[in-house]
Amino acid sequence: MNDLVRQHTALTESDLEWLHLLVSEWQLLSDLSFADLVLWVPTRDGARYVSVAQMRPNTGPTSYQDDMVGHLVPRGRRPLLDAALDEGRIVREGDPEWREEVPVRVESIPVRREGRVLGVIARNTNLLTVRTPSRLELTYLQSASDLAQMIAAGSFPFPGQQVDMDASPRVGDGLIRLDADGLVQYASPNALSAYHRLGLASDLVGHHLGQTTDELAPVRGPVDEALVKLASGYAPRETEVESGAGVIQLRAIPLKPKGVRIGSLILCRDVTELRRRERELITKDATIREIHHRVKNNLQTVAALLRLQARRMDSEQGREALNEAVRRVGSIAIVHETLSQNLDERVEFDEIADRVLAMVSEISPGKTVRRTGRFGILDAEVATPLSMVLTEILQNALEHAFATGERGTVEVHAVRSGGSGPKRPGDSGRSDARLLITVQDDGRGLPEGFDPRRAGNLGLQIVRTLVEGELGGGFDMLPGQERGTRVILDIPVEPHK
């Protein structure tokens, strides 16, 4: 809509914001009218109309099989549009139009803002299934007529009341029509069922909705005047009402077709099961985070016991082996500590990588360990083994790449590729999204005839097992371009979201 309005019309940005506010609300008008809505705006030269938005009803058959957005029609071809735009009134004159053997009643509703008509809504009703209307349908149509008059007068939509239609109740969820005093004139079957879920044992018609709603809510002492006013429809508001038996969501829409409130529409939806599941998810999230927290504490306890045992070892080789185990356990504990602070099983791995780098660099004073690039967000099932792999590779580089007392640098570079590019030959079972990690040192390089795939070093065995077996990626060790050693990891990951 932004592009069409800016390209073809002379409307200002504030006018465009008003149209966005209207479009966010007009599903309500479409459903109450059982009709399609098309928003037409005059072009900059005034010679044509451009359709900038369209809405189909959830309550009846559509009048348009094709999308109308972007269509241009010359002025004069649709007299109802011209009359509504020029005279600023709702135009209903004329016989039904026939479209693909379907009779369609067309009405035009001017869209007014601050005394100016910005465009016209064409309301198109499919008459093929017309029958004697029920009480529900008559209430819908009367309410639609009131809303249409408010749009023509510029009093609907309500300024500053941006509505999320995905989260708000809709017409089909439940509708209650109130008079000016807040008494119920009509309640749809779904609305009545929602109130029965709260504990209502009688009918709603004739009762004061605000007082009835307050009585069904849990006793909190004095009367909740805010709830009474909202449920009485005095102002456009949304709220939820919860009793011991259920939860319903309410949305109040005052009706002022001639500037004076004649009543209100109350849309309501039973969200009891939705809220129950949300609470279950919150409880599960809290449980999962508590589990990660306890696992982290247990791993830190294990690391402390290993560290204590290492101090009592007489064998230098045994002491170093226990210290390596401490670092392996510590890398896993870092992941669980991060997971204990998140609501999902995904972590920002750059923070974990930096902590692993800091932990490993403590064993080799005088060596510089740094990171470039970004790992990004990873699933827990990838982050845990990858933290161990990174620990082993860095530990191996710091211990074997440099002579005792020699200064040096180890650099970790990470880059992620998206999932949009073509797969390489032979990669039919691989993910398109990849994480490429390069660990480069400037040390002495690989020994003559060294084969990383056959080396018996425990650390390299752990790396091979985790990368190829658990992560489904590739691992290789190569001589550096100038000196030192380069380790390359190619791991499939979930694409960025």
Side-chain angles (χ1 to χ4, degrees):
M1 184 166 73
N2 288 349
D3 294 340
L4 289 171
V5 169
R6 290 166 181 159
Q7 179 182 354
H8 295 286
T9 78
L11 296 184
T12 64
E13 289 299 315
S14 57
D15 292 335
L16 180 57
E17 286 299 317
W18 183 261
L19 295 185
H20 274 293
L21 190 61
L22 172 66
V23 168
S24 72
E25 292 270 29
W26 71 344
Q27 179 74 65
L28 175 64
L29 178 62
S30 178
D31 290 346
L32 290 173
S33 304
F34 309 98
D36 291 75
L37 305 179
V38 180
L39 177 57
W40 297 93
V41 180
T43 56
R44 192 173 286 106
D45 59 7
R48 296 180 296 175
Y49 298 96
V50 58
S51 58
V52 298
Q54 179 178 358
M55 178 58 65
R56 291 184 170 91
N58 294 317
T59 52
T62 183
S63 302
Y64 287 109
Q65 298 302 321
D66 300 324
D67 193 347
M68 295 296 296
V69 175
H71 282 218
L72 289 162
V73 298
R75 185 178 172 87
R77 179 174 296 180
R78 301 195 176 185
L80 296 186
L81 293 182
D82 298 338
L85 183 68
D86 296 339
E87 302 171 22
R89 64 180 180 88
I90 299 175
V91 182
R92 296 190 177 93
E93 295 88 351
D95 297 326
E97 296 181 2
W98 287 84
R99 300 175 188 163
E100 299 180 358
E101 300 183 354
V102 174
V104 176
R105 183 176 64 242
V106 181
E107 303 168 84
S108 295
I109 305 167
V111 177
R112 192 183 303 273
R113 174 180 178 265
E114 296 180 350
R116 296 165 44 241
V117 177
L118 307 183
V120 179
I121 294 176
R123 181 163 57 175
N124 305 269
T125 307
N126 187 326
L127 300 178
L128 195 61
T129 57
V130 169
R131 63 185 188 278
T132 303
S134 63
R135 178 74 186 281
L136 180 145
E137 291 168 330
L138 288 172
T139 303
Y140 277 21
L141 293 172
Q142 180 58 54
S143 302
S145 177
D146 294 335
L147 283 178
Q149 292 184 53
M150 291 171 64
I151 292 173
S155 58
F156 186 84
F158 303 109
Q161 292 289 323
Q162 188 78 27
V163 175
D164 181 2
M165 292 306 298
D166 291 332
S168 294
R170 299 198 177 196
V171 170
D173 295 324
L175 179 141
I176 301 172
R177 173 90 185 209
L178 306 181
D179 65 12
D181 297 323
L183 299 179
V184 178
Q185 293 179 316
Y186 175 79
S188 71
N190 285 347
L192 194 57
S193 296
Y195 267 82
H196 284 167
R197 186 69 177 264
L198 281 185
L200 180 69
S202 61
D203 196 1
L204 274 173
V205 175
H207 289 76
H208 190 282
L209 187 66
Q211 296 175 0
T212 301
T213 304
D214 185 68
E215 292 169 0
L216 293 172
V219 177
R220 294 177 297 274
V223 174
D224 189 340
E225 293 184 1
L227 178 59
V228 172
K229 287 185 176 181
L230 187 146
S232 300
Y234 288 107
R237 295 286 187 273
E238 287 192 38
T239 192
E240 286 189 5
V241 181
E242 181 173 0
S243 70
V247 185
I248 65 171
Q249 188 178 15
L250 298 179
R251 182 188 175 200
I253 304 168
L255 297 176
K256 303 177 181 179
K258 295 182 180 180
V260 178
R261 192 174 70 87
I262 63 168
S264 306
L265 287 182
I266 306 295
L267 303 182
C268 60
R269 176 169 59 183
D270 184 353
V271 292
T272 305
E273 292 303 314
L274 179 62
R275 296 296 175 259
R276 181 183 63 80
R277 291 173 185 173
E278 286 178 353
R279 292 189 183 106
E280 287 180 354
L281 288 176
I282 291 172
T283 302
K284 288 179 180 178
D285 287 338
T287 302
I288 291 171
R289 281 188 287 173
E290 178 63 21
I291 289 172
H292 284 303
H293 182 71
R294 294 190 181 188
V295 169
K296 182 262 298 184
N297 289 344
N298 291 339
L299 289 173
Q300 289 180 336
T301 301
V302 171
L305 292 173
L306 291 173
R307 195 177 294 111
L308 182 63
Q309 186 65 39
R311 292 173 183 169
R312 295 174 175 269
M313 292 286 291
D314 295 330
S315 166
E316 182 66 28
Q317 186 176 5
R319 186 182 303 112
E320 184 55 35
L322 288 177
N323 285 331
E324 287 183 3
V326 168
R327 288 188 285 273
R328 288 166 185 152
V329 172
S331 66
I332 301 175
I334 290 172
V335 177
H336 283 282
E337 181 179 4
T338 305
L339 287 169
S340 69
Q341 301 168 0
N342 292 343
L343 292 176
D344 54 16
E345 291 292 289
R346 294 169 67 81
V347 295
E348 178 62 64
F349 196 79
D350 295 304
E351 177 187 346
I352 293 174
D354 291 340
R355 294 179 64 179
V356 168
L357 265 60
M359 178 182 66
V360 174
S361 62
E362 293 176 358
I363 66 175
S364 299
K367 309 295 189 301
T368 301
V369 183
R370 61 172 178 253
R371 172 180 65 86
T372 60
R374 290 194 69 248
F375 289 86
I377 297 176
L378 299 177
D379 290 334
E381 59 188 17
V382 174
T384 301
L386 182 57
S387 66
M388 281 198 65
V389 167
L390 196 58
T391 301
E392 295 298 332
I393 294 175
L394 291 171
Q395 204 167 259
N396 187 72
L398 292 172
E399 289 182 3
H400 302 293
F402 309 100
T404 303
E406 182 183 4
R407 290 185 171 276
T409 301
V410 180
E411 181 176 296
V412 179
H413 179 70
V415 60
R416 288 180 73 146
S417 61
S420 58
K423 295 180 181 179
R424 293 178 293 181
D427 283 358
S428 58
R430 297 160 63 125
S431 169
D432 285 339
R434 317 292 297 180
L435 175 60
L436 184 64
I437 305 169
T438 305
V439 182
Q440 173 76 52
D441 66 65
D442 58 359
R444 68 185 72 176
L446 296 173
E448 187 71 27
F450 178 81
D451 184 358
R453 297 191 172 277
R454 297 184 180 180
N457 179 286
L458 175 61
L460 291 182
Q461 289 181 11
I462 292 174
V463 170
R464 283 199 303 270
T465 301
L466 292 178
V467 172
E468 297 175 356
E470 191 161 342
L471 295 175
F475 160 71
D476 203 1
M477 293 183 71
L478 306 168
Q481 294 180 349
E482 297 181 1
R483 58 175 299 183
T485 304
R486 182 171 46 159
V487 179
I488 300 175
L489 305 175
D490 184 10
I491 299 170
V493 293
E494 288 295 321
H496 285 294
K497 296 183 179 179

